[in-house]
Amino acid sequence: MSLSPGLGSPFPWLRDLQPEERGLCLIQLLHACANHVAAGSVENANVGLGHISHLASPDGDTMQRIAAYFTEALADRMLKVWPGLYKALNSTKTRSPSEEIIVQKLFFELCPFLKLSYVITNQAIVEAMEGEKMIHIIDLHSFEPAQWIELLRTLSARPEGPPHLRITGIHEQKEVLDQMGARLVEEAEKLDIPFQFNSIVSKLENLDLERLRVKTGEALAVSSVLQLHSLLATDEAEVVGRVSPSAPASKSASHNNHIQKFMQMNQHQKTLGEWLEKDVVHYHCSSPDSALSPLSLAPSPNMGTFLGAFWALSPKIMVVTEQESDHNGYSLTERVSEAMNFYAALFDCLESSTDPRASLERQKVEKMLFGKEIKNIIACEGNERRERHEKLEKWILRLELAGFGRVPLSYDGMWQANRLLQSYNYGGYKIKDKKGCLLICWHDRPLYSISAWRHRRQ
Amino acid sequence: MPADLDNSSTASGEVSGSSSGGNNPSQPQQSTTATPKKKRNLPGMPDPAAEVIALSPKTLMATNRFVCEICNKGFQRDQNLQLHRRGHNLPWKLRQRSGKDVKKRVYVCPEVSCVHHDPSRALGDLTGIKKHFCRKHGEKKWKCDKCSKKYAVQSDWKAHSKICGTREYKCDCGTLFSRRDSFITHRAFCDALAEESGRAHPRHPTPPPPSNRSTGPDPTAIVDSAPPPAPPAPPPSQSSAPSSSVSPIHSPELIETQDPAPIIEEPLAPVATVNASCSSSSTISSSNGSTTSTVFASLFASSTTASETTPPPQPQQETHSFTDLIRAMASHPDHTHTTVELAPPPTEPISLCLSTSHGSSIFGQERHYAPQPPSMSATALLQKAAQMGSSATNASLLRGLGIVSSASSSLSSSSSPSPAQLDIWGQRHMEADNSSVHHHQHQHPVLGLGLLPCDGGSGLKELMMGSTSSSVFGPKHATLDFLGLGMAAVGAGPSSGGLSALITSIGGGLDVAASFGAGEFSGKDIGSSS
């Protein structure tokens, strides 16, 4: 349902805006609103959201859609101040796991990112496993058979013959794994490769490594596509050493201020100008991360344990694909800015890669995949916030700290990825090499990073 | 009844010792006739009900305990002796296996210090206990002639000399293996190997395989791990002959490698053959998605077949693809004449291509969508907003609105890992050049947005530059004034002038807001809501 911009708004001039102006306006408004939300000035944020809602729409142009999801996320965050209200509003919302699967498949189909990641991952695995007779691959989020089908084909064409291949897939839903297993077994039989598929129905953070049943004598590969970041989720309140010197004081100050503001909620301001007049509580809390150093890592106990456990399994190669954006910042406004840039690029490339006739599917992806991520990044905190994307340099630090050594991705992989882009006629994408890792970019904006690692003796 | 333990050569060949299972001096002689498959106990854990037999060392070591009286030929078993006696026409008697249930016998080692001396660790087989005794407590009489290993048991020695010198597998760490499986297992965990694979790359430069020359990536990026250039050039004329496109790709390549000459000839040959064989995929056209995916798939298959990390001990069979040749070149300059083989038969690429019908696959059909005009894209908008934010100033407007320049000017809010976006809030490019914009607001409302009124010299710039000190909020009235004046000065009406002023004030307000650091909407509240 698209709201005609300007209708019913106190600013009829909004209706006359050109799309570009409207877009710019939206950007400014979003930033302002995010600041208000971050500062805790609820009624300002409220007004801001109102203004944005006149301009944004999930059916409009790219910027309008982005704004729609961002405002929803901001509103969601604000609503959490009233836990009871929040829960009540969400009580009848049903999660549809099958829809989620569909959306993920759509993302795979519509955008090249997953395909590229699979191609590069497979190439890295094949190279690392040369000469191996027993290969065991652990797939941290196993929902797309195409990835491994391609690998099966590659392996069956090896000169020394196919290895004995075992794939362990991890997913939260059993049906997905069953389907995956059936498909892969069928393919392996066709290719006459000794193959075994093990399913593990589990959330990644609850993964019990015993269930992986890694045997001695088999070469281990791990494929992690957009999964590792969820392990960075941690309850920040308990994390020590994250807080900058000024933060504690201001945190409580803001808390008080926010409550005061809330209590003194004035009547709804009519004019934009007056809204902007509002006293924005001075909230002084610079992000500890950025204050200390650009590359200080947010401590994360879960990640440490997880990586440590996998290190202990001595994988021969572990390929990690992650979003290339810093959505793990301490401060909300940072995250909003980063997210706006990142998802703007994603929305753009999704739009450009999708047939206009498939706009319904595109909208599904936007709403249920991107929108969900945006909501998580903006509205959630602590353990709830799982979309903790980080940039490649941070991942490099983390993995090196955990005892992994980098395996440079070969030119072959990049070449094949480029071939894929060409064969699909995906325009505008670029693949860049950065210190042996690959970045998938949309017009020079890196969106996903792929890096390969191996167990390294300390 | 206890017999003389050392008496090893009675006529009947009986030796018996203490028995724990029963009192009858039963025959210790193990029946050697084939029986239906005997149930084996776990090694080292004998049947508790079995009869324990302790033999003397002499008995154990003795061979040929049974001697023919006529010819003095020795036999290890009585049965064999009896059969031999038949030949002498002597009376013979083959002992049948005792009809009643055969008592399970276990044997203990006479060596006191040995772990198998304990009846609970007795071994179940006579031959086994003999060999054990010889190996562990005996003298090593047999020596391998190739190496220096010595053995006490002849069968061990024989088994070893079959293998000795036939070791085929050598790991890079230097360990030798005669068995393939142990070699492979070792390699999976070998440190040296891991080091090597980590070090030996970025991989060797690989030009595109023969059938896809024309769409290969830039040659310059081939060799090193240097950052690759822009995306591969759009497919040029597909009809270019393979050979012509080989050379340009190869020439920069060849500069890097040592033996330019041989390479050129070799790839051409396989190219021709490949093209001939993969006839179905030989039409190189990127517009035809299926063939490209076919080709790609076949490339996929072929390009990964060459050996990589460890230099092969002997020239390996390589496929037709250039990748392998060049790799071989890079790693073994002398391997210029590696045998070249074709990729998997042409039928395979076709079948790979057909996989696209199987639902989702990585290499599916092609799509033809023109990308959105960039001016409308969200990314472009964001960039524009960033630029406008950072470059726009309006000294006169600002001063006209009476901003007090009081605040200090460290821009800490934007110190966060800066996306371009945050530059809106004015870290750089503070130019006071838009004094005239004020007058153009009617015509260029968009520019109005850019009119984030900040000025190199005036207070709002400092405001915009932001500060983390609380003094920024000191001149609250200044801000208010600014905004109020801004509103008042231009009028909050629906006119386009009003529009631009509004947008201006939005901008101003945003700056003011943004400058006060990145705040946190009290984490506790958020966290506790779940």
Side-chain angles (χ1 to χ4, degrees):
Chain A
M1 168 193 78
S2 75
L3 198 58
S4 160
L7 238 155
S9 88
F11 305 104
W13 52 265
L14 286 175
R15 152 172 16 116
D16 300 328
L17 279 179
Q18 293 297 314
E20 193 172 315
E21 301 153 13
R22 181 177 61 210
L24 292 167
C25 201
L26 277 171
I27 296 171
Q28 308 276 16
L29 283 170
L30 277 172
H31 275 93
C33 200
N35 283 317
H36 286 301
V37 172
S41 49
V42 178
E43 69 266 25
N44 287 335
N46 179 42
V47 171
L49 288 178
H51 290 309
I52 300 177
S53 68
H54 292 303
L55 293 176
S57 154
D59 298 319
D61 68 22
T62 320
M63 198 61 225
Q64 281 182 299
R65 299 199 302 272
I66 295 175
Y69 295 112
F70 270 81
T71 45
E72 191 182 350
L74 285 168
D76 208 62
R77 186 184 176 97
M78 286 170 62
L79 196 59
K80 286 189 174 170
V81 179
W82 298 87
L85 184 59
Y86 182 78
K87 283 198 188 118
L89 259 182
N90 289 320
S91 59
T92 55
K93 276 193 193 158
T94 50
R95 259 191 60 184
S96 165
S98 56
E99 273 277 300
E100 291 173 11
I101 306 288
I102 292 176
V103 158
Q104 282 179 342
K105 291 227 183 242
L106 278 177
F107 180 55
F108 170 77
E109 297 279 344
L110 297 175
C111 284
F113 301 116
L114 288 184
K115 294 178 195 140
L116 290 170
S117 160
Y118 294 157
V119 159
I120 294 171
T121 305
N122 286 352
Q123 178 65 21
I125 291 180
V126 164
E127 283 170 5
M129 296 298 181
E130 241 175 73
E132 294 292 342
K133 275 302 179 189
M134 302 262 314
I135 302 183
H136 181 190
I137 300 182
I138 299 179
D139 186 355
L140 294 191
H141 184 70
S142 162
F143 81 100
E144 182 52 63
Q147 176 180 12
W148 304 121
I149 290 178
E150 204 45 52
L151 184 69
L152 281 171
R153 292 190 184 140
T154 313
L155 288 175
S156 77
R158 291 205 307 190
E160 66 260 39
H164 181 104
L165 180 64
R166 188 153 84 96
I167 297 186
T168 300
I170 303 172
H171 200 270
E172 292 181 25
Q173 288 165 46
K174 187 168 184 305
E175 297 75 29
V176 174
L177 288 175
D178 290 341
Q179 213 178 25
M180 182 112 177
R183 186 80 188 76
L184 289 178
V185 163
E186 175 195 332
E187 193 66 31
E189 270 170 30
K190 262 194 268 176
L191 294 167
D192 199 24
I193 300 181
F195 177 75
Q196 216 184 352
F197 184 82
N198 306 116
S199 335
I200 300 188
V201 182
S202 164
K203 281 194 178 178
L204 204 59
E205 60 265 20
N206 302 334
L207 182 65
D208 177 12
L209 261 77
E210 292 296 318
R211 294 174 70 183
L212 292 173
R213 304 177 120 240
V214 175
K215 303 183 188 147
T216 50
E218 57 186 16
L220 185 63
V222 182
S223 159
S224 158
V225 178
L226 309 179
Q227 295 306 303
L228 221 49
H229 58 256
S230 66
L231 292 163
L232 288 173
T234 173
D235 195 356
E236 261 115 17
E238 296 172 359
V239 174
V240 181
R242 280 207 57 170
V243 182
S244 78
S246 53
S250 49
K251 208 168 164 175
S252 53
S254 85
H255 185 83
N256 292 336
N257 274 329
H258 144 249
I259 296 293
Q260 284 167 16
K261 281 281 165 198
F262 193 63
M263 295 308 184
Q264 303 161 16
M265 208 148 139
N266 294 335
Q267 61 178 10
H268 179 81
Q269 297 301 318
K270 292 284 189 253
T271 68
L272 206 51
E274 282 172 60
W275 170 59
L276 290 165
E277 265 171 52
K278 281 294 177 190
D279 201 3
V280 177
V281 171
H282 168 221
Y283 188 84
H284 165 51
C285 172
S286 52
S287 147
D289 275 2
S290 55
L292 299 175
S293 88
L295 286 187
S296 62
L297 293 176
S300 162
N302 289 346
M303 177 63 81
T305 344
F306 188 86
L307 285 181
F310 268 89
W311 180 87
L313 294 176
S314 290
K316 198 143 192 230
I317 186 148
M318 177 163 87
V319 188
V320 174
T321 305
E322 281 293 327
Q323 287 93 340
E324 176 70 3
S325 186
D326 193 0
H327 295 154
N328 200 13
Y330 189 62
S331 82
L332 176 69
T333 41
E334 271 175 38
R335 297 208 300 273
V336 167
S337 306
E338 283 276 346
M340 279 212 339
N341 281 310
F342 183 75
Y343 286 100
L346 265 187
F347 270 67
D348 278 341
C349 72
L350 180 62
E351 179 148 4
S352 83
S353 312
T354 314
D355 197 346
R357 293 164 291 173
S359 67
L360 206 60
E361 277 88 12
R362 186 199 65 205
Q363 194 177 51
K364 263 196 193 161
V365 173
E366 287 175 357
K367 179 179 162 77
M368 302 191 58
L369 194 61
F370 298 159
K372 216 169 95 159
E373 287 178 10
I374 293 172
K375 208 183 259 197
N376 191 268
I377 294 172
I378 293 181
C380 299
E381 290 293 338
N383 271 320
E384 260 196 350
R385 177 150 60 91
R386 305 219 78 93
E387 302 291 340
R388 295 190 181 239
H389 312 150
E390 283 191 343
K391 291 205 167 167
L392 181 63
E393 52 249 10
K394 290 208 175 171
W395 284 115
I396 291 179
L397 274 183
R398 281 195 197 279
L399 287 163
E400 282 181 350
L401 272 176
F404 288 93
R406 227 188 307 178
V407 176
L409 291 169
S410 76
Y411 185 74
D412 256 351
M414 183 163 72
W415 187 87
Q416 281 169 10
N418 279 321
R419 282 296 300 147
L420 189 149
L421 285 175
Q422 283 180 341
S423 74
Y424 271 97
N425 206 23
Y426 281 117
Y429 295 93
K430 284 184 197 168
I431 303 197
K432 295 191 180 164
D433 176 296
K434 182 176 173 182
K435 303 188 229 167
C437 310
L438 292 181
L439 293 173
I440 306 179
C441 312
W442 164 254
H443 285 141
D444 284 331
R445 154 83 216 210
L447 289 177
Y448 292 91
S449 70
I450 308 179
S451 53
W453 303 86
R454 63 174 172 87
H455 167 96
R456 183 190 74 215
R457 287 239 173 266
Q458 300 289 22
Chain B
M1 56 196 193
D4 187 359
L5 282 178
D6 281 12
N7 183 3
S8 61
S9 56
T10 58
S12 62
E14 294 246 357
V15 285
S16 64
S18 59
S19 63
S20 61
N23 278 333
N24 44 347
S26 41
Q27 293 152 11
Q29 208 148 25
Q30 195 80 358
S31 69
T32 51
T33 54
T35 52
K37 207 146 185 178
K38 282 200 233 179
K39 188 185 79 164
R40 293 176 76 103
N41 280 330
L42 290 171
M45 282 162 50
D47 184 359
E51 183 186 339
V52 179
I53 310 217
L55 304 169
S56 72
K58 209 158 166 204
T59 320
L60 285 177
M61 300 269 294
T63 56
N64 303 347
R65 291 184 283 122
F66 307 95
V67 185
C68 172
E69 59 219 25
I70 311 280
C71 56
N72 276 336
K73 189 171 160 108
F75 296 92
Q76 293 210 10
R77 296 194 178 98
D78 182 56
Q79 308 268 35
N80 301 348
L81 173 62
Q82 296 305 314
L83 289 172
H84 167 82
R85 277 162 66 103
R86 277 199 309 192
H88 292 308
N89 293 324
L90 287 171
W92 53 277
K93 182 177 183 202
L94 276 177
R95 296 178 189 282
Q96 299 291 349
R97 234 171 101 87
S98 48
K100 58 180 168 64
D101 50 337
V102 184
K103 204 66 156 292
K104 175 91 179 99
R105 295 188 184 107
V106 293
Y107 305 88
V108 290
C109 181
E111 174 65 36
V112 185
S113 62
C114 185
V115 68
H116 290 293
H117 185 69
D118 182 8
S120 65
R121 297 292 307 272
L123 298 174
D125 184 58
L126 178 64
T127 326
I129 193 77
K130 282 184 179 177
K131 284 197 178 168
H132 156 80
F133 186 75
C134 281
R135 273 189 210 120
K136 291 290 173 57
H137 314 296
E139 174 204 335
K140 294 185 176 169
K141 292 182 286 191
W142 305 93
K143 184 192 159 303
C144 171
D145 37 344
K146 290 179 207 157
C147 67
S148 60
K149 283 192 97 159
K150 286 186 161 190
Y151 295 91
V153 179
Q154 188 187 20
S155 52
D156 293 347
W157 170 78
K158 271 193 192 167
H160 165 83
S161 44
K162 272 191 197 170
I163 290 192
C164 185
T166 64
R167 289 182 177 130
E168 289 177 43
Y169 306 99
K170 179 177 173 177
C171 177
D172 291 312
C173 65
T175 325
L176 291 169
F177 295 91
S178 59
R179 294 176 54 142
R180 185 175 170 75
D181 47 2
S182 38
F183 169 57
I184 286 168
T185 308
H186 164 87
R187 264 211 321 176
F189 295 99
C190 182
D191 296 337
L193 201 59
E195 287 300 326
E196 165 99 24
S197 66
R199 238 188 302 114
H201 290 91
R203 302 292 161 113
H204 317 275
T206 59
S211 38
N212 273 320
R213 235 107 9 120
S214 49
T215 55
D218 272 349
T220 51
I222 291 179
V223 185
D224 301 316
S225 63
S237 62
Q238 299 303 319
S239 56
S240 61
S243 53
S244 61
S245 47
V246 171
S247 11
I249 292 179
H250 270 291
S251 46
E253 180 71 49
L254 297 178
I255 293 170
E256 318 289 343
T257 60
Q258 287 122 342
D259 297 312
I263 299 183
I264 301 183
E265 284 93 33
E266 292 228 354
L268 288 182
V271 163
T273 43
V274 165
N275 280 338
S277 66
C278 301
S279 53
S280 63
S281 54
S282 63
T283 54
I284 305 168
S285 66
S286 69
S287 58
N288 184 348
S290 61
T291 44
T292 2
S293 59
T294 302
V295 160
F296 190 8
S298 68
L299 292 180
F300 223 22
S302 60
S303 63
T304 54
T305 50
S307 75
E308 261 309 328
T309 44
T310 59
Q314 63 270 353
Q316 282 206 356
Q317 291 217 319
E318 297 189 328
T319 68
H320 63 284
S321 61
F322 282 121
T323 62
D324 314 321
L325 283 166
I326 299 307
R327 260 183 242 151
M329 282 310 305
S331 56
H332 310 284
D334 45 327
H335 272 276
T336 56
H337 299 290
T338 55
T339 53
V340 160
E341 269 198 356
L342 292 181
T347 52
E348 199 180 309
I350 303 177
S351 64
L352 285 173
C353 163
L354 287 178
S355 71
T356 59
S357 60
H358 250 298
S360 60
S361 85
I362 296 186
F363 308 106
Q365 291 87 6
E366 175 166 303
R367 315 119 352 102
H368 307 264
Y369 310 125
Q372 232 191 358
S375 61
M376 293 298 288
S377 77
T379 341
L381 278 174
L382 278 165
Q383 282 169 359
K384 192 162 189 175
Q387 283 164 13
M388 286 181 357
S390 58
S391 64
T393 63
N394 185 0
S396 62
L397 179 60
L398 194 55
R399 290 201 197 98
L401 300 176
I403 291 300
V404 178
S405 64
S406 60
S408 57
S409 70
S410 67
L411 180 57
S412 70
S413 67
S414 312
S415 65
S416 51
S418 55
Q421 186 55 45
L422 273 185
D423 286 337
I424 278 187
W425 316 122
Q427 243 174 341
R428 298 158 255 223
H429 320 301
M430 291 303 189
E431 297 153 353
D433 61 349
N434 291 357
S435 46
S436 59
V437 181
H438 180 64
H439 306 295
H440 295 306
Q441 279 175 8
H442 282 264
Q443 293 85 4
H444 306 288
V446 174
L447 274 181
L449 250 184
L451 267 199
L452 299 175
C454 69
D455 167 41
S458 75
L460 191 55
K461 178 194 178 189
E462 274 89 4
L463 275 176
M464 274 202 56
M465 294 299 261
S467 85
T468 54
S469 71
S470 53
S471 68
V472 171
F473 265 114
K476 198 161 73 160
H477 40 278
T479 0
L480 269 179
D481 278 343
F482 159 61
L483 291 172
L485 279 176
M487 293 302 298
V490 200
S495 67
S496 54
L499 159 68
S500 49
L502 273 169
I503 296 178
T504 307
S505 39
I506 294 173
L510 291 176
D511 295 336
V512 165
S515 66
F516 303 128
E520 187 64 39
F521 194 56
S522 173
K524 283 218 166 78
D525 298 325
I526 302 296
S528 65
S529 68
S530 55

